[in-house]
Amino acid sequence: MTVHELRTRPADSKRGDASDGGALAGQVGGRLSRVDGPAKITGAAKYAVEQQLDGLSHAVLVESTIAAGRVRSIDTAAAQAAPGVLKVLTPDNALRLNTATDWLGTPPPDVPYCPLARDITFSGQHVAAVVAESFEQAVAAAALVKVSYDEAPVIADLSDAKAGDGIPVDAMTKEWGDAEAAFAAAPVRICAAYNTPREYQAPMEPHGLIAQWQGDQLTVWEPSQWLDGMARTYAEWFGVPFENVRLVSPYIGGGFGSKAFAYGYGAVAAMAAKMLGRPVKLAVTRPQTFTAYGGRAATRQTVALGANAEGQIQSIVHRGVNETSVDGMWVEPLGSVTSIMYATPNFSSRQNVVRVNSVVPGALRAPGENPSAFGIECAIDELAYEVGIDPLEIRLRNYAEQDPEAKKPWSTRQLREAFAAGAEAFGWSKRSPEPRSMRDGNQLIGWGVAAGTYPVRRAYGEAVVRILADGSVEVESSSIDMGQGTYTILAQTAAETLGVPADNVVVKLGDSRYARAGVTGGSRLAGVMTGAVHKAATAALDQLVGLAISDPRSPFHALQPNTLVVTEGRISSPRGDGPDVPIAELLGSVGRDRIEAKGDTMPANSTPEERYKNYTTIAMALPHTEGDYSRHSWCAHFIEVRVDEDFGTVRVSRVVSALDSGRLYNPKLAESQWKGGIIMGIGQALLEEGIVDRRHGRIVNNNLADYLIATNADIPDIEVISVGIPDPHSSALGGKGVGELGIVGVAPAIANAVFHATGMRVRDLPITLEKLI
Amino acid sequence: MRDFSYLRADTADAARQAGALPGAMLLAGGTTLIDLAKCGVAEPETVVDISHLKGLDGISVDGAGATIGALAKMSHVADHADIKSRFPAVSEALWQAASAQLRNMATIGGNLMQRTRCPYFRDPANFPACNKRSPGSGCSAIGGVTRGHAVLGTSEACIATYPGDLTVALVAFDATVHLGERQLAVDDFFLLPGATPEREHAIEPGEMITAISIPASAAARRSTYLKVRDRQSYEFAAASAAVGIEFEADGRTIRDLRVALGGVATKPWRARAVEEALKGKLLEPDAVRRASLLAVEGAVDHGANHYKIELAPRVVARAILKIGETA
Ligand SMILES: Cc1cc2nc3c(=O)[nH]c(=O)nc-3n(C[C@H](O)[C@H](O)[C@H](O)COP(=O)(O)OP(=O)(O)OC[C@H]3O[C@@H](n4cnc5c(N)ncnc54)[C@H](O)[C@@H]3O)c2cc1C
Ligand code: SF4
């Protein structure tokens, strides 16, 4: 029985958001404000380490002060004797934990895991921890732990002579045609190197957790982008069943990729809690957010473009390197945009990783695509000047009509539309082509363009939808909202599907006891979860209407209707002949206190093992080129900069970006995500850099006064334009990824604008003033 | 727990007495002191809270000049109508310092006493060598990350930049620091590192800043503070200049000129050579640019901070031309 049809927009509608149809705020596509906003603004929202627990004790980490070598000895006597100290943890008295399965689902080696290191591979590594009655006591005692080391030579970063060329990552190799020969034969050639430094997620809420054991049940309050994945890690570390671990994370103060995994400090806190039989809180300090987990790896790329005199690309030869740690592996896929943005008959991309003494790098908004776009989108700009064509025109001349790598059609690619809409709103046609040709007093003005893209990552999700006796609705999922709007769009999805006002829907997230969910990363969650909630809500609605029709106590029973409709929380017959009653009244008359339905989007015959794997690893994620299509979000950024000709300071004065994220579930939230990405991109282009003391292998600007992220004063008005259309191949409701797209292409657009302003090509981020004077 | 005793002073004399105890430190707005305590740099045995002292937060401006109490908040001074009109460089330097939250907490006395942002100074656990923190231990910065370090007034012992903004304007306009009865020119209050970088100020134990005073002058009235940095707000200066100018009756010949530099030296840096080169001359762009080069005479770089030697004269020249050309 089909009782409800989702009102998706016709495929030929111009925009996939409310701007063309005016969806109501409470429906999918409406501009509902963040439902979690008031709790956050008033301070009612409790973050992980704000939980008040009886008997709470406090753990503080002791970190290595060398970057390479071995711990010779640890003298804990003074710390043990310090007031309030409950325990000093070192590798000698640490519990033996198991190594856990990694996020890819690789079975772990059968070796013990100790989050406190004897072998030192980076500065800031955890070597010991102190637990005390109060935080201040733990801080003071931690300073009394005396660690002596045998030091070894440090490989500080990619430019270290000892670093070498690194290890080839064969999985990153992409080749078609004969790229080197075609490049050599091309009439126009450009080749340049592009570098990005270490960058950090710098979330407003630093990391940390409270761990509590009750018997062999572990509860962890910790900000998390992936409850089920982290619960699995804790369970495997401590050798308890997955069901015994409960992760709680209703609010997250920003993650940007850094809160998807359980890290060593989590193991330390949970271990201490187990040993002491008391809840333990461990709050990562701001300086530790630079070493307790990894930021974006520093990268280097060379991009060689061979073209004909008309600027048509004949060959792309791309070589990339990213740093990884001495004992961990992080690959930042540098050829990901290079291989799909432009049509080329010949292509070659290869990548190495280089081991340096740093914490293993991690995900930061659009890992891979972000630095990749910096290389190719600067390079094509250089080619435009080389052949003397407009930087926008050269992108259109090389437009990829299908995925050049997968050789499949795009599911949707509104990039041409993005170029057109952005150029129009920005006034690109008024640009004077010569570098250094636009000025206002001492300010050199430059206009730059660059494109961006992010793949549509898909997975399966699960949700529970409940209709309660009072007619209100509950949605439950162990997925999370880190500010991007999950609470809000799931309320909209349930409200629209069930026909109730969004105000009547309560969404509960961030508890691993709820229906399972995979990682919130790779911009996949909205697509996955709106699909799951839609399915669960549809099932709940089926039950409701089924009851209304079949239960003898129902006011509709006598009419024997084929179906019923629910709108604004009232149930009636489609033609309006007959009763029209609130849901609560119907439930009352049939004697039910609730209707509950679980929906999941897994293939029907999935085994429990497959479900577990889907929610706790990314092994079951669907490739973006699976089946007949290649699926990606797209964008074009148009940016104006003002560069002071004497001081070299760069200020972004105008941004117009046109973006294709398919259908928008909530344009207000999508715009906010896009703008957030663009703002981060401005910081990346001009300010952000983890500065390494090369003698000590240590980041010296590990605080928010010295690691510069953009302030309000650095950000002009940003205009974002949605050019997406519903993409049925990308998600159940037609959306594509939103969260990461916005940052991709911002840094090259700014670098290109700086070149237009000054005639100087800066290929090393960030573009700080000394590079321009 | 690192225990310390906390005393709340009721009178300035009580504060001075308590402040003379070994290991005692005064607490005003706390924005430097608490920050440094968290880094493990400041480990006071006694914290003497002076923030409640009465009568030390006044701001008075008359024909002779301005007197500002040590406990006046940065934001109040910045926003004071007479400071804005008669000492615009002072107001502008304060507005461009730190963040709104910090300016609302921080006091003028504390501002004078703020410490360097040298990252090695601020990280004792990882960098035990720092002559400023522990005399004779060496300097971790030399040979390390020096992008923010000083090019003027450095020594072999220490190359740390004095980070503040307000005092740059104060040295330009010959302000005086009041330590109770004793008075010192601001320029003499700040010490060069030399062989004793741990001694930054000519203040003795048991002394307390009670006020600063700035004499009125035509140059102060026609003044500006120009701060250059990568981030538009909430960043210390890569280079800055406080400049004031007075013309002869012809409106073109420079009678008096004041130039001081920030962000490039180990103390707020008066650039008298630039002043002398231009006094009595016409305000003319090329001459101003040439004379501004004198601002960095004798500058020494440590690699990554070389750009400051290029940048500082340009900042000076722009500031002079800007203030000279605005009627
Ligand atoms: C992140 C950050 C960014 C900043 N950016 C800037 C900037 O851009 N420009 C700038 O100029 N400043 C900047 N500051 C520094 C800021 O201006 C100072 O921290 C502030 O002015 C100190 O004042 P306070 O009252 O908080 O001092 P406190 O922290 O209370 O005291 C600082 C020191 O002065 C001593 N002291 C206080 N009052 C007296 C007194 N009356 N007599 C003698 N000694 C005294 C204390 O013992 C202590 O040693 C920044 C600070 C931070 C933390
Ligand atoms: S420059 Fe000065 S403050 Fe910095 S490490 Fe050297 S001695 Fe210490």
Side-chain angles (χ1 to χ4, degrees):
Chain A
M1 172 176 33
T2 309
V3 291
H4 184 86
E5 262 181 35
L6 190 75
R7 285 155 294 210
T8 39
R9 275 159 215 299
D12 63 354
S13 95
K14 244 187 111 259
R15 286 181 179 175
D17 63 30
S19 56
D20 60 333
L24 293 172
Q27 297 180 339
V28 175
R31 304 181 68 90
L32 187 64
S33 291
R34 292 242 302 260
V35 298
D36 50 327
K40 287 182 172 168
I41 289 166
T42 58
K46 265 214 175 98
Y47 289 78
V49 299
E50 294 177 330
Q51 305 304 318
Q52 306 291 330
L53 269 75
D54 287 338
L56 192 61
S57 57
H58 300 262
V60 165
L61 297 163
V62 178
E63 301 161 282
S64 73
T65 56
I66 64 163
R70 230 187 119 68
V71 173
R72 197 186 316 131
S73 64
I74 304 184
D75 178 357
T76 61
Q80 296 276 11
V85 170
L86 299 167
K87 185 117 214 143
V88 181
L89 281 171
T90 69
D92 292 329
N93 64 359
L95 293 181
R96 265 175 83 93
L97 307 185
N98 311 308
T99 303
T101 306
D102 72 11
W103 58 301
L104 306 165
T106 324
D110 184 17
V111 292
Y113 166 66
C114 183
L116 302 171
R118 280 199 181 88
D119 290 314
I120 303 302
T121 56
F122 62 94
S123 177
Q125 202 164 359
H126 314 323
V127 292
V130 176
V131 192
E133 294 287 351
S134 79
F135 172 68
E136 289 77 12
Q137 289 170 330
V139 169
L144 299 174
V145 175
K146 294 278 164 285
V147 186
S148 54
Y149 302 95
D150 292 318
E151 278 193 61
V154 175
I155 300 173
D157 58 20
L158 287 174
S159 60
D160 198 306
K162 297 184 291 298
D165 295 337
I167 314 154
V169 187
D170 293 337
M172 292 290 112
T173 302
K174 305 175 186 185
E175 314 257 5
W176 63 87
D178 185 345
E180 309 230 5
F183 176 71
V188 182
R189 281 174 294 182
I190 61 122
C191 177
Y194 304 92
N195 304 333
T196 66
R198 282 182 205 166
E199 293 153 1
Y200 294 88
Q201 298 88 351
M204 185 86 90
E205 174 205 29
H207 297 55
L209 71 153
I210 295 174
Q212 180 178 41
W213 287 89
Q214 282 155 318
D216 61 354
Q217 308 274 328
L218 172 64
T219 304
V220 178
W221 290 264
E222 183 172 8
S224 170
Q225 293 179 234
W226 193 2
L227 300 177
D228 292 355
M230 286 171 63
R232 177 176 181 158
T233 305
Y234 281 104
E236 291 186 4
W237 278 342
F238 289 93
V240 297
F242 173 69
E243 292 71 26
N244 287 20
V245 179
R246 179 179 175 206
L247 246 289
V248 186
S249 176
Y251 298 107
I252 299 134
F256 310 113
S258 69
K259 288 178 177 163
F261 307 124
Y263 297 109
Y265 57 82
V268 170
M271 178 192 290
K274 194 171 176 76
M275 292 168 88
L276 290 167
R278 287 176 62 168
V280 171
K281 166 150 120 180
L282 191 154
V284 171
T285 65
R286 180 60 70 185
Q288 287 168 350
T289 63
F290 291 76
T291 48
Y293 56 88
R296 196 194 303 282
T299 73
R300 303 208 159 162
Q301 303 174 70
T302 13
V303 185
L305 299 182
N308 64 20
E310 286 72 51
Q312 276 160 335
I313 298 174
Q314 295 172 348
S315 177
I316 300 177
V317 184
H318 173 257
R319 300 289 176 259
V321 169
N322 75 267
E323 58 178 16
T324 188
S325 66
V326 168
D327 49 11
M329 183 51 75
W330 178 263
V331 179
E332 181 88 17
L334 295 171
S336 54
V337 176
T338 330
S339 61
I340 61 165
M341 191 56 89
Y342 299 109
T344 177
N346 300 287
F347 183 88
S348 164
S349 175
R350 287 183 214 151
Q351 186 169 339
N352 283 12
V353 291
V354 170
R355 294 197 184 281
V356 302
N357 288 111
S358 93
V359 64
V360 61
L364 201 181
R365 213 166 192 167
E369 279 72 21
N370 176 317
S372 180
F374 180 62
I376 184 67
E377 286 298 303
C378 285
I380 193 153
D381 203 70
E382 302 208 31
L383 181 63
Y385 285 95
E386 188 69 25
V387 293
I389 359 178
D390 182 273
L392 179 54
E393 171 61 23
I394 198 164
R395 287 171 163 85
L396 296 172
R397 280 192 201 174
N398 289 287
Y399 198 83
E401 299 293 348
Q402 63 160 13
D403 181 335
E405 181 190 352
K407 315 275 191 274
K408 291 181 183 181
W410 308 113
S411 56
T412 49
R413 193 195 206 216
Q414 297 287 100
L415 181 57
R416 218 191 291 277
E417 290 75 5
F419 282 132
E424 169 71 23
F426 188 81
W428 184 261
S429 60
K430 295 196 269 304
R431 180 177 182 270
S432 93
E434 280 303 301
R436 232 183 156 86
S437 60
M438 290 159 58
R439 70 156 64 221
D440 173 9
N442 300 110
Q443 312 287 308
L444 303 170
I445 296 173
W447 290 3
V449 63
T453 180
Y454 196 79
V456 177
R457 303 193 190 279
R458 293 170 306 148
Y460 309 109
E462 186 177 286
V464 165
V465 169
R466 244 174 245 125
I467 304 172
L468 302 178
D470 64 357
S472 71
V473 172
E474 248 177 33
V475 177
E476 275 180 6
S477 156
S478 75
S479 64
I480 60 93
D481 190 329
M482 53 180 162
Q484 83 279 34
T486 317
Y487 281 112
T488 313
I489 57 168
L490 296 190
Q492 289 172 279
T493 307
E496 178 178 279
T497 313
L498 289 167
V500 301
D503 287 355
N504 283 8
V505 181
V506 172
V507 179
K508 296 177 164 179
L509 305 174
D511 189 325
S512 63
R513 296 222 168 132
Y514 297 152
R516 309 253 79 95
V519 66
T520 301
S523 304
R524 81 192 76 196
L525 190 76
V528 171
M529 286 311 303
T530 49
V533 169
H534 176 235
K535 201 159 171 187
T538 304
L541 186 59
D542 276 352
Q543 283 186 39
L544 178 70
V545 172
L547 266 180
I549 293 171
S550 61
D551 193 295
R553 293 164 294 181
S554 158
F556 296 98
H557 185 66
L559 302 174
Q560 303 226 308
N562 294 326
T563 187
L564 297 167
V565 293
V566 181
T567 39
E568 287 297 298
R570 301 177 73 88
I571 185 161
S572 61
S573 70
R575 283 189 305 265
D577 51 348
D580 175 351
V581 299
I583 292 175
E585 196 179 312
L586 177 82
L587 288 177
S589 54
V590 300
R592 287 284 290 267
D593 67 348
R594 64 175 54 195
I595 283 173
E596 178 171 315
K598 193 171 195 169
D600 80 56
T601 56
M602 293 281 291
N605 53 359
S606 306
T607 64
E609 291 72 35
E610 282 166 342
R611 288 172 189 275
Y612 183 54
K613 193 164 158 190
N614 175 61
Y615 297 122
T616 61
T617 74
I618 62 152
M620 309 254 308
L622 294 164
H624 59 270
T625 51
E626 176 254 359
D628 295 335
Y629 297 97
S630 178
R631 305 161 182 83
H632 305 259
S633 301
W634 302 96
C635 65
H637 302 289
F638 293 82
I639 295 185
E640 176 184 276
V641 299
R642 291 171 163 252
V643 184
D644 190 291
E645 63 175 337
D646 292 325
F647 307 153
T649 42
V650 182
R651 300 287 182 258
V652 173
S653 45
R654 223 148 54 86
V655 178
V656 176
S657 301
L659 306 100
D660 164 18
S661 287
R663 180 185 184 216
L664 304 182
Y665 308 128
N666 180 326
K668 189 175 199 172
L669 301 184
E671 288 161 14
S672 156
Q673 283 292 296
W674 288 335
K675 287 181 185 176
I678 292 163
I679 290 167
M680 252 172 132
I682 292 173
Q684 176 189 32
L686 301 178
L687 301 168
E688 295 190 40
E689 175 177 22
I691 301 174
V692 185
D693 180 306
R694 307 204 43 253
R695 305 160 304 175
H696 299 273
R698 185 169 177 80
I699 299 287
V700 295
N701 57 336
N702 55 2
N703 62 75
L704 292 185
D706 297 319
Y707 181 84
L708 305 182
I709 57 174
T711 64
N712 278 333
D714 297 289
I715 305 302
D717 276 345
I718 295 171
E719 182 179 349
V720 289
I721 303 166
S722 173
V723 293
I725 55 173
D727 183 338
H729 308 294
S730 285
S731 63
L733 304 193
K736 303 194 282 189
V738 170
E740 300 179 89
L741 178 66
I743 196 174
V744 184
V746 174
I750 291 174
N752 295 340
V754 166
F755 177 77
H756 183 234
T758 64
M760 289 166 81
R761 189 58 81 174
V762 180
R763 303 185 181 92
D764 294 278
L765 294 183
I767 307 173
T768 47
L769 59 88
E770 73 267 39
K771 294 175 184 171
L772 292 169
I773 61 174
Chain B
M1 174 152 168
R2 280 187 216 127
D3 288 330
F4 58 85
S5 38
Y6 170 85
L7 298 176
R8 182 182 284 197
D10 293 329
T11 63
D13 279 340
R16 275 190 281 262
Q17 264 174 29
L21 296 170
M25 295 187 86
L26 304 183
L27 174 73
T31 62
T32 286
L33 184 59
I34 291 171
D35 187 30
L36 290 179
K38 283 190 186 170
C39 305
V41 174
E43 294 187 314
E45 282 163 35
T46 305
V47 170
V48 184
D49 187 350
I50 60 169
S51 63
H52 300 80
L53 288 182
K54 297 269 178 299
L56 282 182
D57 60 353
I59 304 169
S60 68
V61 182
D62 59 22
T67 302
I68 301 169
L71 290 179
K73 303 283 189 195
M74 288 170 74
S75 50
H76 290 165
V77 181
D79 202 29
H80 193 277
D82 293 332
I83 298 288
K84 285 202 275 196
S85 63
R86 301 204 204 171
F87 304 93
V90 171
S91 170
E92 291 170 19
L94 286 165
W95 276 133
Q96 293 172 71
S99 64
Q101 294 89 336
L102 287 161
R103 293 191 297 266
N104 285 338
M105 282 300 290
T107 65
I108 296 300
N111 185 284
L112 260 59
M113 299 292 288
Q114 67 177 285
R115 311 294 303 274
T116 182
R117 294 295 304 188
C118 170
Y120 301 97
F121 171 77
R122 292 171 55 84
D123 188 356
N126 283 283
F127 302 104
C130 171
N131 290 323
K132 193 183 274 305
R133 226 178 34 226
S134 40
S137 60
C139 171
S140 293
I142 295 174
V145 174
T146 55
R147 180 174 190 256
H149 285 80
V151 292
L152 289 165
T154 58
S155 71
E156 279 173 20
C158 180
I159 57 170
T161 300
Y162 170 79
D165 294 300
L166 168 67
T167 54
V168 178
L170 297 183
V171 294
F173 302 107
D174 295 326
T176 299
V177 182
H178 300 247
L179 303 158
E181 294 300 297
R182 192 159 82 98
Q183 300 189 1
L184 274 174
V186 172
D187 206 5
D188 299 330
F189 180 77
F190 290 97
L191 306 174
L192 286 170
T196 54
E198 72 280 10
R199 243 183 96 63
E200 294 177 353
H201 314 102
I203 187 170
E204 301 295 334
E207 283 189 315
M208 179 173 80
I209 302 171
T210 46
I212 55 164
S213 59
I214 324 170
S217 65
R221 191 184 270 271
R222 186 171 188 164
S223 68
T224 190
Y225 186 75
L226 178 59
K227 182 173 180 180
V228 173
R229 45 186 165 170
D230 283 304
R231 186 158 73 177
Q232 175 74 25
S233 162
Y234 192 34
E235 191 188 5
F236 293 93
S240 68
V243 165
I245 200 163
E246 181 192 0
F247 288 114
E248 300 288 357
D250 64 2
R252 297 164 58 227
T253 313
I254 300 170
R255 176 188 292 166
D256 187 13
L257 179 69
R258 310 293 183 87
V259 179
L261 303 179
V264 295
T266 52
K267 61 178 262 185
W269 197 259
R270 183 81 178 255
R272 291 189 196 275
V274 181
E275 299 174 3
E276 294 312 319
L278 288 171
K279 275 189 205 164
K281 306 269 163 55
L282 294 177
L283 184 89
E284 192 271 312
D286 281 344
V288 168
R289 282 195 201 98
R290 257 195 321 277
S292 296
L293 293 173
L294 299 171
V296 288
E297 257 191 331
V300 179
D301 73 70
H302 282 81
N305 61 352
H306 177 78
Y307 73 94
K308 287 184 188 261
I309 300 178
E310 306 285 328
L311 182 61
R314 300 181 189 190
V315 178
V316 169
R318 177 81 64 82
I320 296 175
L321 291 171
K322 177 183 150 206
I323 197 66
E325 283 162 6
T326 50

